[in-house]
């Protein structure tokens, strides 16, 4: 830190898993570039969460990043409510509100780092806009906003705001008010960084460039940030899910996971269970509650399945009640389809691995992402349209969609399309690829 010519990059994530995951990948990617000192600043429990759920990188790579535990007092960590009228994770709102308390210690950290750096670069999650304001007060600092959802959703959200249309139903009222407060703290950043690539969202990135809100702001599409998956890696700690997948043929298993912020009702659990059983296909089902504010208070689920279900599916299905290394599961040769909520992390990982998606959006950007995969890229099917979001998906529909994706000519065509997308997405991050070029331009600008 004594090198006055050093460029210091401070990453400021929002403390929710999908946001932490993307920015940790980005931090690790930056740490491989010479001349950059990379710092990751979040609360102690969320730094620990990010490290614990590291995927695709060796644990030793974490030593290349300087982690800073910003103090955060104890906050309520209620469990998710599976009977809530909305699937948005309202139980996490106390955590979201508490991030205001990170501002002061973050300011002190940035000031300290700026004195021993030629240039201080602050990359903050779009929901941590005050970090940009703090950077603006430092002479040798500049800030960049990192947008964690898709470019498609960013275009849609901007259009709705221009029309004066509320984002009702996608988010809770409390979260919408929270984001409005954060928007008031926004400072025009030096650039916008998105975990996407032109091969997937070229049209939306071009539309974004025409939006008044991003006039004169360079956009860097640098995704996918997750490492290029390698099927059946042997140099990683083998999770029990991977051991189970090892025993099954290629493209034979349906992977079911609704991410870390979605919880489905008991009635829906039952219908999903019967639908998977009736499909006759192998399945790996992650049945867990949404994360709490502190995941270490409850890392697994006690959700009940229909009586006798787990015994009935022995040898056919596996139910897991904790977190799993999803990137490795999707990269496994046995995984042939993915029932997903369509969070952007999951979408990018599925596309990287060439796995078709059975889209089941719950909230936020997920309905937009589901349509992008199903109608735009043709690498998936929508299980339940957003217009029917309040309905319980019947077992018959689950069975129908699983069979469509896993069997027959339509399923084979979709799988081939997913493989082509996978090759294009991976190539984007390699030499000569659009995302690699965008990152090269960004880093070169920082080193100027």
């Amino acid at each position: 830190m004594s090198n006055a010519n050093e460029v210091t990059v401070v990453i400021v994530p929002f403390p929710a898993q999908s946001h932490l995951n993307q920015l940790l990948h980005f931090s690790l990617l930056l740490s491989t570039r010479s001349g950059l000192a990379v710092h990751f600043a979040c609360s102690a429990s969320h730094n620990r969460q990010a490290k614990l759920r590291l995927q695709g990188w060796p644990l030793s790579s974490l030593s290349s990043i300087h982690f800073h535990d910003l103090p955060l007092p104890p906050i309520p960590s209620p469990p998710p409510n599976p009977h809530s009228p909305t699937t948005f994770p309202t139980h996490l709102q106390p955590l979201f509100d508490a991030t205001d308390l990170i501002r002061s210690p973050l300011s002190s950290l940035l000031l300290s780092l700026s004195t021993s750096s030629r240039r201080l670069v602050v990359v903050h999650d779009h929901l941590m806009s005050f970090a940009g304001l703090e950077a603006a007060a430092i002479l040798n600092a500049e800030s960049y906003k990192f947008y964690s959802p898709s470019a498609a959703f960013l275009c849609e959200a901007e259009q709705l705001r221009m029309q004066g249309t509320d984002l009702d139903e996608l988010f809770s009222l409390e979260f919408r008010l929270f984001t409005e407060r954060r928007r008031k703290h926004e400072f025009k950043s030096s650039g916008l960084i998105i975990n996407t690539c032109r091969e997937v969202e070229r049209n939306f990135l071009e539309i974004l460039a025409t939006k008044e809100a991003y006039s004169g702001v360079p956009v860097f599409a640098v995704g996918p940030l997750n490492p290029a998956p390698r099927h059946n890696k042997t140099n990683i700690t083998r999770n029990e899910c991977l051991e189970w997948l090892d025993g099954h043929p290629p493209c034979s298993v349906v992977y079911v996971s609704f991410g870390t912020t979605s919880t489905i009702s008991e009635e829906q659990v039952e219908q999903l269970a019967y639908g998977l059983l009736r499909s006759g296909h192998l399945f790996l089902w992650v049945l867990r509650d949404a994360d709490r504010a502190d995941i270490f208070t409850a890392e697994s689920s006690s959700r009940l399945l229909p009586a006798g279900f787990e015994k009935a599916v022995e040898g056919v299905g596996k139910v897991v009640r904790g977190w799993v290394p999803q990137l490795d599961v999707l990269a496994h040769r046995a995984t042939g389809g993915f029932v997903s909520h369509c969070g952007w992390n999951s979408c990018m990982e599925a596309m990287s691995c060439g796995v078709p998606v059975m889209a089941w959006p719950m909230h936020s950007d997920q309905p937009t992402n589901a349509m992008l995969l199903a109608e735009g890229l043709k690498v998936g099917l929508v299980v339940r349209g957003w217009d029917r979001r309040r309905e319980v998906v019947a077992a018959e529909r689950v069975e129908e969609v699983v069979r469509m994706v896993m069997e027959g000519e339509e399923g084979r065509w979709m799988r081939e399309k997913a493989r082509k997308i996978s090759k294009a997405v991976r190539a984007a991050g390699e030499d000569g690829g659009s995302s690699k070029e965008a990152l090269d331009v960004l880093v070169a600008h920082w080193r100027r």
Side-chain angles (χ1 to χ4, degrees):
M1 295 301 302
S2 60
N3 185 352
N5 293 317
E6 188 172 37
V7 176
T8 299
V9 183
V10 181
I11 306 293
V12 185
F14 186 66
Q17 177 58 30
S18 58
H19 299 248
L20 290 166
N21 183 58
Q22 292 188 52
L23 277 173
L24 181 58
H25 283 316
F26 188 54
S27 299
L28 289 165
L29 195 58
L30 291 176
S31 72
T32 65
R33 302 298 185 100
S34 62
L36 301 182
V38 183
H39 297 251
F40 194 90
C42 200
S43 73
S45 64
H46 291 95
N47 280 342
R48 191 158 55 113
Q49 175 177 330
K51 295 175 188 178
L52 178 68
R53 292 178 172 177
L54 176 68
Q55 299 183 71
W57 298 81
L59 285 175
S60 58
S61 65
L62 292 173
S63 63
S64 65
I65 298 175
H66 306 273
F67 287 90
H68 298 270
D69 294 341
L70 302 180
L72 193 64
I75 55 176
S77 186
N81 177 12
H83 306 294
S84 172
T86 174
T87 53
F88 188 82
T90 54
H91 66 288
L92 292 177
Q93 194 60 50
L95 168 63
F96 301 160
D97 291 334
T99 55
D100 287 333
L101 302 174
I102 286 176
R103 182 170 182 173
S104 178
L106 175 65
S107 176
S108 299
L109 173 65
L110 297 181
L111 285 168
S112 173
L113 293 174
S114 70
T115 61
S116 54
S117 307
R118 181 173 61 87
R119 176 171 291 112
L120 181 69
V121 176
V122 178
V123 178
H124 64 87
D125 190 285
H126 69 287
L127 293 174
M128 301 293 279
S129 53
F130 56 71
L133 277 177
E134 295 301 330
I138 301 173
L139 288 177
N140 63 333
E142 58 191 56
S143 67
Y144 293 76
K145 182 162 63 174
F146 181 88
Y147 194 74
S148 55
S150 62
F153 182 70
L154 181 53
C155 288
E156 180 179 352
E158 287 299 322
Q159 185 64 33
L160 290 174
R161 288 192 186 99
M162 287 178 64
Q163 296 171 349
T165 305
D166 200 353
L167 299 175
D168 193 21
E169 297 285 341
L170 293 174
F171 306 98
S172 68
L173 173 60
E174 294 80 6
F175 187 76
R176 295 200 304 275
L177 293 173
F178 168 80
T179 57
E180 284 304 311
R181 291 199 304 272
R182 285 292 161 90
R183 283 172 66 85
K184 292 176 182 177
H185 291 155
E186 283 190 356
F187 181 84
K188 188 170 183 178
S189 63
S190 299
L192 177 67
I193 303 169
I194 310 182
N195 180 21
T196 191
C197 59
R198 296 197 172 275
E199 288 71 9
V200 169
E201 293 196 281
R202 182 180 304 276
N203 292 343
F204 294 105
L205 289 167
E206 291 174 355
I207 292 171
L208 197 60
T210 69
K211 298 290 185 182
E212 183 179 352
Y214 298 99
S215 175
V217 178
V219 177
F220 301 91
V222 297
L225 293 175
N226 56 268
R230 293 187 176 88
H231 293 255
N232 303 323
K233 293 180 291 185
T234 57
N235 62 339
I236 60 173
T237 302
R238 300 290 288 171
N239 181 274
E240 62 170 337
C241 296
L242 305 180
E243 299 283 357
W244 185 83
L245 288 168
D246 288 343
H248 298 296
C251 297
S252 63
V253 177
V254 178
Y255 171 55
V256 184
S257 175
F258 295 109
T260 58
T261 62
S262 300
T263 298
I264 60 177
S265 67
E266 298 296 342
E267 183 181 4
Q268 187 61 81
V269 168
E270 182 175 324
Q271 290 299 308
L272 177 53
Y274 286 131
L276 291 171
L277 182 59
R278 289 169 49 159
S279 76
H281 285 277
L282 299 166
F283 65 86
L284 172 62
W285 183 4
V286 181
L287 178 59
R288 63 187 301 277
D289 290 327
D291 280 348
R292 296 192 186 190
D294 182 353
I295 66 165
F296 303 97
T297 61
E299 284 203 80
S300 61
S301 170
S302 59
R303 303 294 296 279
L304 296 176
L305 284 164
F309 177 79
E310 290 185 75
K311 183 173 179 60
V313 299
E314 282 182 4
V316 175
K318 181 176 179 61
V319 179
V320 182
R321 298 181 182 278
W323 182 85
V324 303
Q326 178 166 286
L327 186 59
D328 293 323
V329 170
L330 289 170
H332 198 285
R333 63 179 178 81
T335 303
F338 180 19
V339 178
S340 172
H341 63 309
C342 288
W344 191 236
N345 264 322
S346 292
C347 292
M348 289 300 289
E349 290 171 357
M351 285 188 282
S352 296
C353 298
V355 179
V357 174
M358 288 156 268
W360 194 324
M362 301 286 185
H363 57 77
S364 306
D365 60 325
Q366 297 162 17
T368 302
N369 300 340
M371 295 305 290
L372 174 64
L373 266 60
E375 295 192 2
L377 300 172
K378 310 294 185 184
V379 293
L381 290 175
V382 175
V383 179
R384 179 188 62 187
W386 185 242
D387 59 331
R388 304 180 68 177
R389 57 190 172 276
R390 296 187 183 279
E391 299 178 13
V392 173
V393 179
E396 291 80 6
R397 177 58 178 167
V398 174
E399 177 188 2
E400 176 188 28
V401 172
V402 169
R403 288 185 179 275
M404 288 172 69
V405 172
M406 300 297 288
E407 301 173 7
E409 187 61 29
E410 184 175 9
R412 282 193 293 271
W413 181 86
M414 199 178 302
R415 208 173 326 281
E416 180 57 31
K417 181 69 173 176
R419 279 194 285 265
K420 290 179 180 178
I421 291 289
S422 174
K423 290 180 181 178
V425 167
R426 294 193 200 196
E430 297 172 354
D431 289 340
S434 64
S435 296
K436 174 67 159 48
E437 181 180 337
L439 186 58
D440 287 345
V441 170
L442 180 61
V443 172
H445 182 68
W446 292 347
R447 291 173 176 158
R448 69 191 185 279

